[in-house]
Amino acid sequence: MSLHVSLHQKQQLALTLTPSLRQSISILQFSSADLNEYIQDQIQSNPALQLDASPTNDRESNWSNTSAAADTYDRMVSEESLTENLKHQISLFSISPDVRAVLYYLIGSLDDKGYLILDRLHAATSLRIKSEKLDDAIAIIQTLDPPGIGARDLHECLLLQIKSANSLAYKIVDEHLGLLAEKEYEILSTILGVELSDIYEADLQIKSLNPYPAMNFHTKPTPYIAADVILRQTDSGINIIVNQAHLPVVKLDPSFSAMLHNDPSNEVKRYAKASMFAASQLIRGLEQRQQTLYNITKEILAFQPDFFKEGTTCLKSMTLKDIANAAQVHESTVSRATSNKYLQTPLGLFSFKQLFSKGVSSTKTDAFHSVHQIKEKMKELLENERKSSPLSDQKITTLLQKHSIAISRRTVAKYRMELGFEDSRIRKEK
């Protein structure tokens, strides 16, 4: 077998992303917060850039909202966290440093609901204590406020909140919680040998318990969302405003232009030229982002006129491809431009992604029903159902099909759960 080396020419098309193109793509995809941070970093690293402090009239400003958000942030940060609250209670106990360390370990193992999430044997090994000592520490945690804190599951959480172990409510939670969840009151009355009225009273007591003891404690401040685009209703129609108020304005430093002409050093000129080119590309990328957001919002507004007048019930099926075709850009551009961005409308604040949804076909026409429309219709049916005879998923499917919505029972079940409605058997009230 002979071996030989040869050269062949091959022609092919390939997309090469230049640094400038990569930067433009990143700028388009950035959320407002990320873009703000990115611009600040560029100002720090590129001396050819400087902040433009001069006021402009075309930048949307919501200083009153920003101030209110800052006040809310300050209030929430100042609130006592669950960890601080529990450690304060422990500080009032006369206990050894070793026991205190175990209690702090357990506090660190609580989840956002206030449940204790840990492997008992692993924790005992890590703390180098016997399992019995760990159980004693858990018992101490479970005596703290709020009641139910430190429980391992919902069952234990409810039991910890019922003061008397001899009460009917305690016995129901301990032995028959499943029957109670299914509202099998008559069966419970027969099993426990008590009056039906006693079951109802115990049910009310159990419903008053808190399944999530830590729910009233704020661990993280609610983030403030600044709209990327604002739709403002005027006498002549709806104006589209790309909101730049929360972003720093940058411009070229004039001294760098002078450096190109006045400094004799080639090295200095090369540095100044490279810095000015990078600064120009950043400014150009920001301008392109603003124009792209405007164009895409304009096409969304044209595609969804009824939504911006009436709300989500009139939201039509709309895909990235629909807007990409209308704006004459690639789908990926629409995806990047709408990712992590928000739209302020006269009806409220919406994420751009909320406006996109695939449709379910109509049984009578070629039109599509959006997921939002179907969910709104299902919500209306479920909220107006007879409590004594709630609608099953199959019944909802039949009713929707009568409204020319081609949908399966499995999809109905999925949407029902997403709307927060339980199965018809559980919803039924006896």
Side-chain angles (χ1 to χ4, degrees):
M1 182 178 68
S2 62
L3 298 176
H4 65 277
V5 179
S6 61
L7 295 176
H8 298 279
Q9 285 188 339
K10 183 179 179 181
Q11 187 176 16
Q12 66 179 24
L13 292 174
L15 176 62
T16 302
L17 294 181
T18 65
S20 298
L21 183 56
R22 290 180 186 275
Q23 184 184 56
S24 296
I25 291 174
S26 297
I27 288 174
L28 181 61
Q29 192 167 359
F30 279 144
S31 65
S32 295
D34 291 337
L35 182 59
N36 193 328
E37 183 178 347
Y38 179 76
I39 294 174
Q40 297 288 357
D41 289 342
Q42 292 298 306
I43 293 173
Q44 294 294 324
S45 61
N46 190 344
L49 282 170
Q50 66 175 196
L51 280 173
D52 186 356
S54 60
T56 56
N57 296 324
D58 60 341
R59 291 169 59 81
E60 184 65 23
S61 179
N62 289 314
W63 296 116
S64 59
N65 291 345
T66 305
S67 177
D71 291 342
T72 303
Y73 178 87
D74 290 340
R75 286 197 302 271
M76 296 186 73
V77 169
S78 65
E79 292 179 359
E80 188 177 39
S81 69
L82 175 65
T83 299
E84 293 169 339
N85 180 282
L86 296 176
K87 286 185 176 181
H88 173 71
Q89 294 180 60
I90 291 174
S91 68
L92 303 177
F93 295 165
S94 297
I95 53 178
S96 67
D98 291 341
V99 174
R100 190 185 308 275
V102 175
L103 295 177
Y104 282 3
Y105 177 91
L106 294 177
I107 290 175
S109 301
L110 297 174
D111 65 9
D112 292 340
K113 298 175 183 177
Y115 289 1
L116 189 58
I117 307 298
L118 85 167
D119 181 271
R120 180 170 172 268
L121 294 179
H122 176 75
T125 303
S126 299
L127 294 168
R128 297 182 180 180
I129 60 174
K130 294 182 178 180
S131 298
E132 292 77 12
K133 292 291 184 182
L134 181 65
D135 293 337
D136 292 341
I138 292 175
I140 294 175
I141 292 291
Q142 292 178 345
T143 64
L144 303 177
D145 286 326
I149 199 73
R152 269 67 65 92
D153 51 38
L154 175 63
H155 175 261
E156 186 178 28
C157 178
L158 298 178
L159 290 179
L160 288 173
Q161 297 177 62
I162 302 175
K163 295 181 179 179
S164 174
N166 297 321
S167 67
L168 179 60
Y170 191 98
K171 189 172 185 64
I172 291 175
V173 171
D174 192 29
E175 300 176 8
H176 308 290
L177 191 57
L179 289 174
L180 184 68
E182 296 177 0
K183 302 185 184 299
E184 299 289 358
Y185 300 133
E186 294 180 357
I187 296 177
L188 285 171
S189 175
T190 302
I191 292 176
L192 297 174
V194 297
E195 297 292 331
L196 195 58
S197 59
D198 294 331
I199 298 295
Y200 289 143
E201 185 177 347
D203 182 39
L204 289 175
Q205 180 185 351
I206 294 168
K207 285 180 177 178
S208 69
L209 304 177
N210 187 356
Y212 307 126
M215 66 183 299
N216 294 324
F217 289 86
H218 296 282
T219 56
K220 296 180 181 179
T222 302
Y224 171 68
I225 297 175
D228 297 273
V229 181
I230 298 171
L231 299 183
R232 179 164 294 165
Q233 185 72 52
T234 64
D235 294 336
S236 58
I238 297 180
N239 283 349
I240 301 173
I241 303 169
V242 179
N243 188 10
Q244 303 289 315
H246 48 280
L247 297 175
V249 183
V250 292
K251 65 179 183 180
L252 291 174
D253 188 341
S255 62
F256 265 72
S257 179
M259 191 182 298
L260 287 173
H261 301 288
N262 299 332
D263 197 297
S265 171
N266 290 331
E267 185 177 347
V268 172
K269 286 183 178 180
R270 282 196 299 269
Y271 171 73
K273 188 175 181 179
S275 298
M276 289 191 66
F277 178 77
S280 299
Q281 291 301 310
L282 173 64
I283 295 172
R284 183 169 175 268
L286 294 172
E287 292 173 348
Q288 287 180 337
R289 178 184 189 270
Q290 185 173 0
Q291 186 63 52
T292 302
L293 277 175
Y294 178 90
N295 292 341
I296 289 175
T297 304
K298 180 182 177 182
E299 298 304 334
I300 292 175
L301 183 59
F303 200 98
Q304 303 278 12
D306 294 335
F307 163 72
F308 293 105
K309 295 177 183 176
E310 305 296 335
T312 54
T313 54
C314 297
L315 188 63
K316 295 193 300 182
S317 170
M318 183 178 72
T319 64
L320 295 174
K321 186 176 182 179
D322 292 328
I323 300 304
N325 290 338
Q328 298 182 349
V329 295
H330 195 271
E331 285 183 55
S332 62
T333 300
V334 179
S335 178
R336 292 187 182 99
T338 55
S339 178
N340 300 316
K341 297 183 181 64
Y342 292 84
L343 179 67
Q344 180 69 53
T345 76
L347 300 175
L349 185 71
F350 298 89
S351 71
F352 273 93
K353 290 300 183 184
Q354 285 180 263
L355 309 181
F356 293 92
S357 67
K358 294 183 178 180
V360 174
S361 61
S362 171
T363 57
K364 294 183 178 180
T365 68
D366 294 332
F368 284 84
H369 300 277
S370 73
V371 174
H372 297 280
Q373 290 174 324
I374 296 172
K375 285 186 176 181
E376 286 295 327
K377 186 63 181 176
M378 285 182 57
K379 186 177 180 182
E380 179 184 347
L381 291 172
L382 289 165
E383 288 179 344
N384 293 293
E385 68 182 358
R386 286 188 300 166
K387 302 302 180 184
S388 60
S389 181
L391 298 172
S392 65
D393 292 339
Q394 185 57 53
K395 181 63 176 177
I396 296 172
T397 303
T398 303
L399 292 172
L400 291 176
Q401 289 174 349
K402 288 181 179 179
H403 285 84
S404 305
I405 300 174
I407 191 170
S408 67
R409 186 197 62 78
R410 180 179 295 180
T411 304
V412 167
K414 174 187 174 184
Y415 290 170
R416 171 181 55 75
M417 289 187 288
E418 290 176 355
L419 287 169
F421 288 90
E422 295 177 315
D423 185 80
S424 59
R425 184 171 55 88
I426 299 177
R427 298 200 309 275
K428 185 175 181 180
E429 293 182 0
K430 294 186 177 180

